[in-house]
mmCIF file of all heavy atoms in Angstrom:
data_model
loop_
_atom_site.group_PDB
_atom_site.id
_atom_site.type_symbol
_atom_site.label_atom_id
_atom_site.label_comp_id
_atom_site.label_asym_id
_atom_site.label_seq_id
_atom_site.Cartn_x
_atom_site.Cartn_y
_atom_site.Cartn_z
ATOM 1 N N VAL H 436 -8.151 -51.584 28.802
ATOM 2 C CA VAL H 436 -8.783 -52.334 27.676
ATOM 3 C C VAL H 436 -9.504 -53.465 28.273
ATOM 4 O O VAL H 436 -8.975 -54.310 28.892
ATOM 5 C CB VAL H 436 -7.701 -52.815 26.728
ATOM 6 C CG1 VAL H 436 -8.411 -53.636 25.632
ATOM 7 C CG2 VAL H 436 -6.987 -51.660 26.114
ATOM 8 N N THR H 437 -10.822 -53.476 28.087
ATOM 9 C CA THR H 437 -11.588 -54.656 28.609
ATOM 10 C C THR H 437 -12.382 -55.243 27.499
ATOM 11 O O THR H 437 -12.656 -54.680 26.477
ATOM 12 C CB THR H 437 -12.583 -54.178 29.670
ATOM 13 O OG1 THR H 437 -12.761 -52.829 29.589
ATOM 14 C CG2 THR H 437 -12.219 -54.615 31.032
ATOM 15 N N LEU H 438 -12.675 -56.506 27.670
ATOM 16 C CA LEU H 438 -13.500 -57.190 26.717
ATOM 17 C C LEU H 438 -14.913 -56.682 26.773
ATOM 18 O O LEU H 438 -15.471 -56.469 27.839
ATOM 19 C CB LEU H 438 -13.492 -58.710 27.044
ATOM 20 C CG LEU H 438 -12.293 -59.477 26.617
ATOM 21 C CD1 LEU H 438 -12.280 -60.829 27.202
ATOM 22 C CD2 LEU H 438 -12.240 -59.554 25.064
ATOM 23 N N GLU H 439 -15.462 -56.436 25.655
ATOM 24 C CA GLU H 439 -16.813 -55.957 25.525
ATOM 25 C C GLU H 439 -17.791 -57.149 25.698
ATOM 26 O O GLU H 439 -17.359 -58.207 26.043
ATOM 27 C CB GLU H 439 -17.024 -55.264 24.241
ATOM 28 C CG GLU H 439 -16.217 -53.970 24.155
ATOM 29 C CD GLU H 439 -16.942 -52.780 24.689
ATOM 30 O OE1 GLU H 439 -17.950 -52.955 25.408
ATOM 31 O OE2 GLU H 439 -16.507 -51.654 24.460
ATOM 32 N N THR H 442 -20.688 -59.552 21.540
ATOM 33 C CA THR H 442 -20.764 -59.117 20.147
ATOM 34 C C THR H 442 -19.530 -58.444 19.670
ATOM 35 O O THR H 442 -19.394 -58.091 18.544
ATOM 36 C CB THR H 442 -21.963 -58.207 19.889
ATOM 37 O OG1 THR H 442 -21.832 -57.123 20.811
ATOM 38 C CG2 THR H 442 -23.285 -58.931 20.106
ATOM 39 N N MET H 443 -18.670 -58.094 20.610
ATOM 40 C CA MET H 443 -17.518 -57.298 20.260
ATOM 41 C C MET H 443 -16.229 -58.033 20.680
ATOM 42 O O MET H 443 -16.192 -58.795 21.619
ATOM 43 C CB MET H 443 -17.560 -55.953 20.882
ATOM 44 C CG MET H 443 -18.798 -55.189 20.490
ATOM 45 S SD MET H 443 -18.924 -53.629 21.387
ATOM 46 C CE MET H 443 -20.624 -53.576 21.629
ATOM 47 N N GLN H 444 -15.179 -57.707 20.005
ATOM 48 C CA GLN H 444 -13.906 -58.343 20.356
ATOM 49 C C GLN H 444 -12.884 -57.283 20.606
ATOM 50 O O GLN H 444 -12.954 -56.210 20.085
ATOM 51 C CB GLN H 444 -13.370 -59.156 19.160
ATOM 52 C CG GLN H 444 -14.444 -59.975 18.483
ATOM 53 C CD GLN H 444 -14.129 -61.358 18.517
ATOM 54 O OE1 GLN H 444 -13.146 -61.789 17.920
ATOM 55 N NE2 GLN H 444 -14.844 -62.151 19.205
ATOM 56 N N THR H 445 -11.857 -57.584 21.403
ATOM 57 C CA THR H 445 -10.753 -56.613 21.529
ATOM 58 C C THR H 445 -9.938 -56.774 20.270
ATOM 59 O O THR H 445 -9.707 -57.836 19.793
ATOM 60 C CB THR H 445 -9.837 -56.952 22.732
ATOM 61 O OG1 THR H 445 -9.859 -58.329 22.939
ATOM 62 C CG2 THR H 445 -10.336 -56.263 23.992
ATOM 63 N N GLU H 446 -9.606 -55.620 19.746
ATOM 64 C CA GLU H 446 -8.718 -55.664 18.619
ATOM 65 C C GLU H 446 -7.685 -54.563 18.703
ATOM 66 O O GLU H 446 -7.983 -53.506 19.170
ATOM 67 C CB GLU H 446 -9.476 -55.545 17.274
ATOM 68 C CG GLU H 446 -10.724 -54.831 17.349
ATOM 69 C CD GLU H 446 -11.452 -54.698 16.002
ATOM 70 O OE1 GLU H 446 -10.992 -55.214 15.010
ATOM 71 O OE2 GLU H 446 -12.560 -54.129 16.041
ATOM 72 N N THR H 447 -6.494 -54.871 18.245
ATOM 73 C CA THR H 447 -5.519 -53.840 18.198
ATOM 74 C C THR H 447 -5.455 -53.381 16.770
ATOM 75 O O THR H 447 -5.360 -54.183 15.872
ATOM 76 C CB THR H 447 -4.092 -54.356 18.579
ATOM 77 O OG1 THR H 447 -4.275 -55.478 19.334
ATOM 78 C CG2 THR H 447 -3.317 -53.323 19.358
ATOM 79 N N ILE H 448 -5.610 -52.119 16.583
ATOM 80 C CA ILE H 448 -5.678 -51.600 15.222
ATOM 81 C C ILE H 448 -4.467 -50.806 14.975
ATOM 82 O O ILE H 448 -3.815 -50.270 15.869
ATOM 83 C CB ILE H 448 -6.990 -50.768 15.101
ATOM 84 C CG1 ILE H 448 -8.140 -51.730 15.304
ATOM 85 C CG2 ILE H 448 -7.108 -50.139 13.710
ATOM 86 C CD1 ILE H 448 -9.107 -51.249 16.266
ATOM 87 N N GLU H 449 -4.143 -50.666 13.752
ATOM 88 C CA GLU H 449 -2.909 -49.955 13.393
ATOM 89 C C GLU H 449 -2.953 -48.466 13.870
ATOM 90 O O GLU H 449 -3.991 -47.921 14.070
ATOM 91 C CB GLU H 449 -2.661 -50.056 11.901
ATOM 92 C CG GLU H 449 -3.751 -49.412 11.065
ATOM 93 C CD GLU H 449 -3.580 -49.827 9.626
ATOM 94 O OE1 GLU H 449 -3.963 -50.969 9.343
ATOM 95 O OE2 GLU H 449 -3.165 -48.991 8.822
ATOM 96 N N ASP H 461 -3.886 -47.280 18.727
ATOM 97 C CA ASP H 461 -5.322 -47.421 18.909
ATOM 98 C C ASP H 461 -5.623 -48.786 19.380
ATOM 99 O O ASP H 461 -5.154 -49.744 18.887
ATOM 100 C CB ASP H 461 -6.046 -47.259 17.586
ATOM 101 C CG ASP H 461 -6.073 -45.790 17.174
ATOM 102 O OD1 ASP H 461 -6.240 -44.936 18.060
ATOM 103 O OD2 ASP H 461 -5.868 -45.536 16.015
ATOM 104 N N THR H 462 -6.466 -48.855 20.405
ATOM 105 C CA THR H 462 -6.942 -50.160 20.839
ATOM 106 C C THR H 462 -8.414 -50.017 21.130
ATOM 107 O O THR H 462 -8.897 -48.920 21.215
ATOM 108 C CB THR H 462 -6.229 -50.609 22.138
ATOM 109 O OG1 THR H 462 -6.306 -49.588 23.098
ATOM 110 C CG2 THR H 462 -4.833 -51.045 21.853
ATOM 111 N N VAL H 463 -9.071 -51.113 21.364
ATOM 112 C CA VAL H 463 -10.465 -50.986 21.741
ATOM 113 C C VAL H 463 -10.511 -50.478 23.169
ATOM 114 O O VAL H 463 -9.765 -50.951 24.055
ATOM 115 C CB VAL H 463 -11.156 -52.357 21.669
ATOM 116 C CG1 VAL H 463 -12.542 -52.265 22.216
ATOM 117 C CG2 VAL H 463 -11.204 -52.868 20.281
ATOM 118 N N VAL H 464 -11.332 -49.541 23.377
ATOM 119 C CA VAL H 464 -11.427 -48.961 24.749
ATOM 120 C C VAL H 464 -12.804 -49.223 25.291
ATOM 121 O O VAL H 464 -13.708 -49.565 24.532
ATOM 122 C CB VAL H 464 -11.130 -47.497 24.780
ATOM 123 C CG1 VAL H 464 -9.794 -47.193 24.190
ATOM 124 C CG2 VAL H 464 -12.190 -46.703 24.020
ATOM 125 N N THR H 559 -15.111 -46.424 19.800
ATOM 126 C CA THR H 559 -14.338 -47.330 20.609
ATOM 127 C C THR H 559 -13.639 -48.357 19.659
ATOM 128 O O THR H 559 -12.598 -48.857 20.066
ATOM 129 C CB THR H 559 -15.306 -48.109 21.568
ATOM 130 O OG1 THR H 559 -16.450 -48.549 20.844
ATOM 131 C CG2 THR H 559 -15.669 -47.226 22.731
ATOM 132 N N HIS H 560 -14.217 -48.567 18.529
ATOM 133 C CA HIS H 560 -13.609 -49.501 17.597
ATOM 134 C C HIS H 560 -13.041 -48.655 16.445
ATOM 135 O O HIS H 560 -13.702 -48.204 15.551
ATOM 136 C CB HIS H 560 -14.644 -50.490 17.075
ATOM 137 C CG HIS H 560 -15.082 -51.401 18.167
ATOM 138 N ND1 HIS H 560 -15.962 -51.016 19.160
ATOM 139 C CD2 HIS H 560 -14.777 -52.641 18.440
ATOM 140 C CE1 HIS H 560 -16.173 -52.020 19.948
ATOM 141 N NE2 HIS H 560 -15.478 -53.007 19.585
ATOM 142 N N PHE H 561 -11.696 -48.516 16.506
ATOM 143 C CA PHE H 561 -11.053 -47.645 15.545
ATOM 144 C C PHE H 561 -10.615 -48.371 14.289
ATOM 145 O O PHE H 561 -10.403 -49.508 14.277
ATOM 146 C CB PHE H 561 -9.800 -47.059 16.223
ATOM 147 C CG PHE H 561 -10.141 -46.023 17.228
ATOM 148 C CD1 PHE H 561 -10.426 -46.424 18.508
ATOM 149 C CD2 PHE H 561 -10.122 -44.718 16.938
ATOM 150 C CE1 PHE H 561 -10.694 -45.494 19.476
ATOM 151 C CE2 PHE H 561 -10.421 -43.793 17.889
ATOM 152 C CZ PHE H 561 -10.700 -44.134 19.196
ATOM 153 N N GLY H 562 -10.521 -47.597 13.270
ATOM 154 C CA GLY H 562 -9.934 -48.114 12.045
ATOM 155 C C GLY H 562 -8.749 -47.261 11.691
ATOM 156 O O GLY H 562 -8.365 -46.377 12.463
ATOM 157 N N THR H 593 -15.403 -46.332 10.100
ATOM 158 C CA THR H 593 -15.891 -46.855 11.335
ATOM 159 C C THR H 593 -17.182 -46.167 11.795
ATOM 160 O O THR H 593 -17.690 -46.374 12.872
ATOM 161 C CB THR H 593 -14.865 -46.610 12.436
ATOM 162 O OG1 THR H 593 -14.509 -45.239 12.433
ATOM 163 C CG2 THR H 593 -13.612 -47.515 12.251
ATOM 164 N N MET H 617 -14.596 -55.199 7.489
ATOM 165 C CA MET H 617 -14.144 -54.687 8.788
ATOM 166 C C MET H 617 -14.761 -53.385 9.144
ATOM 167 O O MET H 617 -15.160 -53.124 10.302
ATOM 168 C CB MET H 617 -12.601 -54.478 8.789
ATOM 169 C CG MET H 617 -11.785 -55.705 9.002
ATOM 170 S SD MET H 617 -11.161 -55.849 10.723
ATOM 171 C CE MET H 617 -12.615 -56.068 11.636
ATOM 172 N N SER H 620 -18.335 -53.874 10.180
ATOM 173 C CA SER H 620 -18.363 -54.470 11.527
ATOM 174 C C SER H 620 -18.014 -53.475 12.621
ATOM 175 O O SER H 620 -18.700 -53.351 13.627
ATOM 176 C CB SER H 620 -17.327 -55.660 11.539
ATOM 177 O OG SER H 620 -17.166 -56.129 12.817
ATOM 178 N N ARG H 621 -16.988 -52.654 12.358
ATOM 179 C CA ARG H 621 -16.637 -51.608 13.367
ATOM 180 C C ARG H 621 -17.785 -50.591 13.520
ATOM 181 O O ARG H 621 -18.019 -50.117 14.605
ATOM 182 C CB ARG H 621 -15.393 -50.899 12.954
ATOM 183 C CG ARG H 621 -14.133 -51.738 13.169
ATOM 184 C CD ARG H 621 -12.927 -51.037 12.718
ATOM 185 N NE ARG H 621 -11.767 -51.902 12.806
ATOM 186 C CZ ARG H 621 -10.706 -51.922 11.980
ATOM 187 N NH1 ARG H 621 -10.693 -51.067 10.935
ATOM 188 N NH2 ARG H 621 -9.714 -52.735 12.158
ATOM 189 N N THR H 622 -18.417 -50.249 12.395
ATOM 190 C CA THR H 622 -19.484 -49.264 12.498
ATOM 191 C C THR H 622 -20.583 -49.789 13.336
ATOM 192 O O THR H 622 -21.081 -49.085 14.278
ATOM 193 C CB THR H 622 -20.043 -48.986 11.081
ATOM 194 O OG1 THR H 622 -18.959 -48.409 10.256
ATOM 195 C CG2 THR H 622 -21.121 -47.903 11.125
ATOM 196 N N ASN H 624 -20.392 -52.038 15.636
ATOM 197 C CA ASN H 624 -19.949 -52.097 17.000
ATOM 198 C C ASN H 624 -19.955 -50.735 17.681
ATOM 199 O O ASN H 624 -20.343 -50.610 18.904
ATOM 200 C CB ASN H 624 -18.473 -52.635 17.102
ATOM 201 C CG ASN H 624 -18.447 -54.149 16.781
ATOM 202 O OD1 ASN H 624 -19.494 -54.805 16.787
ATOM 203 N ND2 ASN H 624 -17.331 -54.656 16.420
ATOM 204 N N ASN H 625 -19.521 -49.726 16.951
ATOM 205 C CA ASN H 625 -19.529 -48.362 17.540
ATOM 206 C C ASN H 625 -20.942 -47.881 17.872
ATOM 207 O O ASN H 625 -21.148 -47.306 18.892
ATOM 208 C CB ASN H 625 -18.816 -47.426 16.609
ATOM 209 C CG ASN H 625 -17.313 -47.537 16.658
ATOM 210 O OD1 ASN H 625 -16.742 -47.768 17.688
ATOM 211 N ND2 ASN H 625 -16.626 -47.458 15.496
#
Side-chain angles (χ1 to χ4, degrees):
Chain H
V436 176
T437 14
L438 281 168
E439 294 273 13
T442 53
M443 303 176 215
Q444 317 240 296
T445 30
E446 29 179 357
T447 338
I448 296 130
E449 60 195 77
D461 286 321
T462 49
V463 175
V464 303
T559 45
H560 293 75
F561 288 83
T593 52
M617 276 260 69
S620 171
R621 284 179 186 145
T622 301
N624 290 343
N625 283 321

